[in-house]
Structures are given as structure tokens and as C-alpha cells.
Amino acid sequence: MQPKLVLIEGLPGFGKTTTAQLVHDILIDMNINTQLFLEGNLDHPADYDGVACFGEYEYQELLRDHAEFSDLLRTHLMKQGNHYFLAYRKLLNEDGVSIPQELINNIFKYDIYELPLAQNRERITEKWEQFAKHSMNGTDTYIFDCCFIQNPVTIGMIKYGAANEVVMSYVKQLASIVEQLNPLLLYVEQDDLDHSFRRAVKERPAAWSEGFIEYYTSQGFGLDHGYHGLEGTLQVLKARRELEETIYNDLSIAKEKVNNSSYDVDVYKQRLVKILAAHFSENMS
């Protein structure tokens, strides 16, 4: 069976999004039906972005405290088992002007990626299981940008300072869930982490780098090690790189490292063409 899932991973600024888009284009040229899901996609089939999760008590409390918005909240609400999932970012995109900051703050506290690590892992693995079951009998190949390794590492290591073994276990659980899809992991590398990240900081809006640095140094691993500012963030990224290298080496799924240090899109694309041709052609029936 040819891969039904291509996972794109790597550090910030290394070219994951570019890689995902190139992979999509290449597979289309190979006449393979593909669906591309980049970071931040609010309709991601295996991950959550801009979604809060409430238990029964927390949900009823939210409705009581903001009764005048209860009907509006229900328009973007889905119940699964004992949990209520509120797609609040979609709500804000549609009705953000009318929603007070207090309500936004009360919702954000329950964002999937603000939950305690164990609860986050439960919700995310459930979502991946639903995706694997749904996509197994389909004909499409899915391309996921940075939700397989990056998200567990970010919430586990960066946010909560969890032990490496806990983070590795989280990623390996996701890998076992999608094993039936014959996944292919493409890990984007750069020779010079320092140069690549500083380049990203210069090229992206200041709000991105400020938020990134704050997230990386004000909690979890960065806070535990007393790191500050851009230089401290680079130290956290170096530690993250070591952890992801260990995770990569420990995974038993099909995987390839692809170096993007040249920033030459044409050369890089040809490298990806060879990798994808090998993995998809050899699995063609």
C-alpha cells in the first residue's frame, strides 16, 4: 500500500510549510489524490486549532456566566462523549467584533493546547484515532504540516517541561495510531540552526517572534533553565532539536531527512521528487 499520510516535521524556520506545499504539488503531478493541511488549518482532520474543550460542569458554567451569548456559542459547539468542543476561532472569525474579551479569555483557558498534558494527550489521540479510522478506506493521501512531532514536543517539553520519555511516548502513540496508513515522515533539516531561526525572525512579523520568544522562555523548559530573549530561545531550540533527533531515530515508520540549507527551491524540489517517487512507486500495486 502506498503511503496515505505524509508527515512534515522540522524546527521553526527550517522550511516545513514550503516542503508541505512542494510535496503536495509533486504528488498531484504523480496523479495521486492528496489533501494538504498546513499549520493553523481550522478544519484539520487529526488536530485542533482554535478549539476549546469543556467538561459538563465547565461548559454549563460558561453558559451561565455568558447567558446572552449562549445561542451563539452553540452554533460552533460539538459534543463527543462527556466533552464539549467549541471551535472558538471560527466563531471569532465570524462574530469577533461582538464578543467581549472576558468571554474570549474564559474560553481560551480551555483551549486544547492549554489543557494539562495528560488531558491534551487524551483529546489529541482520540482525534488521531478518528482520522485513522475515517481515512483508512479512502483513496486520498493526506499531508500534515508539523502536528506529529512538533505539537507533542511543544506542549510537553516547551510548555510543561515534561521528561523526554513522556514526550517520546506521546509521539510514538500517534505513530502507532496511524501505522495502518503506511505513513512517511519527512524531517526537514538545516545545517545552521542559529542562522535559520534568525533569518525567520527577520522575515516574519515582529508579533510572531515576540510571541514565540515569550512562549519559549516564560514557561516549561525555558523557565526551568532561566533562558531569556532571543539567545535563550535559541538554547531551547537546540535542546528541542536534540529531543526530536532522538524521537526520529526511535520511530519505526518510514522516514527520510531532507536538507533545506541551500534555500534553492528548484534543487530542493528535485530532492523531494526522488524521495517521493521511491516511496510511492515501490508501494504501487
Side-chain angles (χ1 to χ4, degrees):
M1 182 181 76
Q2 70 181 33
K4 287 191 172 184
L5 178 61
V6 180
L7 303 160
I8 313 296
E9 294 292 335
L11 295 191
F14 277 23
K16 296 188 299 297
T17 299
T18 297
T19 302
Q21 292 171 330
L22 287 172
V23 168
H24 179 254
D25 293 342
I26 293 166
L27 292 182
I28 290 295
D29 288 343
M30 294 171 64
N31 295 316
I32 295 171
N33 295 327
T34 65
Q35 294 193 43
L36 171 63
F37 291 91
L38 299 177
E39 183 177 16
N41 190 309
L42 301 185
D43 295 307
H44 201 293
D47 195 31
Y48 293 104
D49 195 297
V51 176
C53 178
F54 302 86
E56 181 70 36
Y57 176 81
E58 292 81 9
Y59 170 64
Q60 296 299 336
E61 183 179 49
L62 183 74
L63 294 186
R64 287 195 304 270
D65 292 345
H66 304 279
E68 67 272 32
F69 294 97
S70 59
D71 289 341
L72 181 61
L73 293 174
R74 289 190 181 99
T75 63
H76 289 79
L77 190 77
M78 179 177 62
K79 185 178 181 183
Q80 291 185 0
N82 297 321
H83 298 97
Y84 295 84
F85 294 84
L86 177 61
Y88 69 86
R89 188 159 295 170
K90 286 186 177 181
L91 180 64
L92 292 174
N93 288 346
E94 296 174 11
D95 301 282
V97 175
S98 64
I99 300 175
Q101 189 62 45
E102 180 186 6
L103 174 54
I104 296 173
N105 293 341
N106 288 342
I107 294 172
F108 181 73
K109 290 187 297 185
Y110 295 94
D111 184 285
I112 297 289
Y113 284 97
E114 293 296 318
L115 297 177
L117 180 57
Q119 293 181 31
N120 166 272
R121 181 171 175 173
E122 288 178 1
R123 302 289 80 78
I124 295 297
T125 52
E126 287 171 356
K127 183 80 166 178
W128 279 70
E129 287 168 353
Q130 293 166 9
F131 161 72
K133 182 178 180 180
H134 170 78
S135 57
M136 182 60 201
N137 295 322
T139 59
D140 289 355
T141 291
Y142 292 79
I143 304 166
F144 288 173
D145 170 29
C146 73
C147 64
F148 172 61
I149 293 178
Q150 175 172 286
N151 286 359
V153 169
T154 298
I155 191 170
M157 172 191 175
I158 308 301
K159 184 174 180 63
Y160 290 119
N164 287 355
E165 293 76 13
V166 172
V167 180
M168 292 173 64
S169 172
Y170 189 163
V171 178
K172 291 178 75 174
Q173 183 178 2
L174 297 183
S176 67
I177 290 171
V178 296
E179 183 179 8
Q180 59 186 323
L181 302 179
N182 192 27
L184 169 63
L185 169 61
L186 298 180
Y187 194 90
V188 184
E189 275 283 16
Q190 291 276 357
D191 293 335
D192 191 336
L193 186 160
D194 190 292
H195 170 75
S196 298
F197 186 70
R198 290 181 190 275
R199 174 173 173 158
V201 168
K202 289 181 180 180
E203 293 178 348
R204 299 182 186 184
W208 177 85
S209 58
E210 291 168 0
F212 192 97
I213 291 169
E214 171 70 14
Y215 193 92
Y216 265 57
T217 59
S218 67
Q219 58 187 343
F221 186 90
L223 182 62
D224 291 344
H225 288 78
Y227 291 137
H228 303 283
L230 176 59
E231 299 305 322
T233 301
L234 284 165
Q235 293 303 313
V236 179
L237 284 169
K238 290 175 183 176
R240 173 181 159 180
R241 187 180 206 174
E242 292 178 3
L243 174 56
E244 293 195 4
E245 174 75 11
T246 302
I247 292 171
Y248 178 91
N249 290 334
D250 205 36
L251 289 169
S252 58
I253 63 175
K255 56 193 175 183
E256 299 274 0
K257 286 187 177 180
V258 55
N259 195 293
N260 187 33
S261 297
S262 69
Y263 289 102
D264 186 322
V265 175
D266 292 333
V267 172
Y268 188 56
K269 182 176 182 179
Q270 290 308 308
R271 193 172 298 138
L272 290 170
V273 167
K274 292 179 180 179
I275 291 173
L276 293 170
H279 283 272
F280 280 80
S281 297
E282 70 184 15
N283 288 283
M284 292 286 190
S285 56

